[in-house]
Amino acid sequence: SAVISQKPSRDICQRGTSLTIQCQVDSQVTMMFWYRQQPGQSLTLIATANQGSEATYESGFVIDKFPISRPNLTFSTLTVSNMSPEDSSIYLCSAPTGFGEFFGPGTRLTVL
Amino acid sequence: GQQLNQSPQSMFIQEGEDVSMNCTSSSIFNTWLWYKQDPGEGPVLLIALYKAGELTSNGRLTAQFGITRKDSFLNISASIPSDVGIYFCAGFYSGNTPLVFGKGTRLSVIA
């Protein structure tokens, strides 16, 4: 399995500001994914973080709003830009391994 | 896009009872995964299934990969209070493609 950590675990932010979430994996992985989980909902994929190339975004998500970095095979960041209350969610990173896909503990974001 | 139908949406059961939940897909998957999510936590992988027809156990949990590759079920035997949480099924077709998630089954256990 892979051990995945995220920082921060939670934050309360003001409208219009930006927050960068960090995701660290304890082993090198080819792919990393970023998900959003709105209250009471399932997980929705935001984008695939590709090492050495631009992230691949799902329909409804754009780079200007959710810029992603993937500087190496163990680390990625997701920035939630120009936040509004609708961005209040849990943001999760994940990494697939040969044994399945493992998730970080999530970052709970509240936007006031 | 692909969708997974997960049922039931929620369950209230007595401690000691067995539980069953399932997922069906409109298209085939090569891997099915079952996760449990506690409040304020990320999903934790419970069981991974890699072959059609595969039946796998993890303690009191048993899951099967349907022979058509379009469905899977999870059974929990002799439920206990710590089984409370949301259970998600997920599937993917190939190794580096993202997961498709079900909407979750919220399990409540009454002592």
Side-chain angles (χ1 to χ4, degrees):
Chain A
S1 66
V3 177
I4 302 176
S5 59
Q6 282 185 238
K7 289 196 295 188
S9 58
R10 58 178 62 228
D11 208 341
I12 300 173
C13 301
Q14 295 293 327
R15 181 195 298 261
T17 62
S18 298
L19 176 72
T20 295
I21 302 167
Q22 299 178 11
C23 179
Q24 179 76 54
V25 186
D26 69 341
S27 57
Q28 293 186 338
V29 291
T30 306
M31 312 292 282
M32 293 176 73
F33 299 110
W34 286 97
Y35 291 84
R36 181 174 72 183
Q37 187 176 28
Q38 294 176 306
Q41 303 294 314
S42 186
L43 284 75
T44 300
L45 182 66
I46 298 171
T48 303
N50 305 304
Q51 200 273 326
S53 63
E54 276 199 0
T56 308
Y57 289 84
E58 297 299 303
S59 175
F61 298 96
V62 295
I63 187 171
D64 289 347
K65 176 68 175 176
F66 297 102
I68 287 171
S69 79
R70 180 86 196 274
N72 57 52
L73 292 174
T74 64
F75 187 79
S76 178
T77 67
L78 170 77
T79 299
V80 186
S81 303
N82 188 25
M83 289 184 283
S84 67
E86 292 71 34
D87 294 321
S88 298
S89 284
I90 299 173
Y91 292 85
L92 297 132
C93 65
S94 73
T97 71
F99 302 99
E101 186 164 327
F102 294 88
F103 284 82
T107 296
R108 183 179 293 273
L109 172 61
T110 302
V111 184
L112 303 178
Chain B
Q2 288 180 311
Q3 299 224 346
L4 290 185
N5 296 311
Q6 184 172 351
S7 65
Q9 282 188 320
S10 62
M11 304 179 73
F12 289 84
I13 60 168
Q14 294 281 343
E15 183 176 358
E17 288 185 349
D18 297 343
V19 172
S20 185
M21 58 193 80
N22 70 84
C23 275
T24 59
S25 169
S26 57
S27 53
I28 62 174
F29 288 118
N30 285 333
T31 300
W32 282 92
L33 305 171
W34 284 92
Y35 291 89
K36 178 174 183 267
Q37 187 175 28
D38 292 325
E41 303 288 331
V44 173
L45 182 63
L46 298 174
I47 292 181
L49 301 159
Y50 304 106
K51 292 195 305 186
E54 179 181 354
L55 183 71
T56 296
S57 294
N58 178 7
R60 294 179 296 106
L61 278 61
T62 302
Q64 184 155 30
F65 191 146
I67 197 72
T68 66
R69 296 163 66 194
K70 291 185 178 182
D71 63 299
S72 178
F73 71 74
L74 174 71
N75 288 342
I76 305 172
S77 63
S79 58
I80 59 178
S82 62
D83 290 334
V84 165
I86 303 176
Y87 292 79
F88 291 100
C89 63
F92 65 87
Y93 185 77
S94 65
N96 287 325
T97 57
L99 293 175
V100 179
F101 276 88
K103 293 187 183 301
T105 296
R106 184 180 296 272
L107 178 63
S108 301
V109 179
I110 304 165

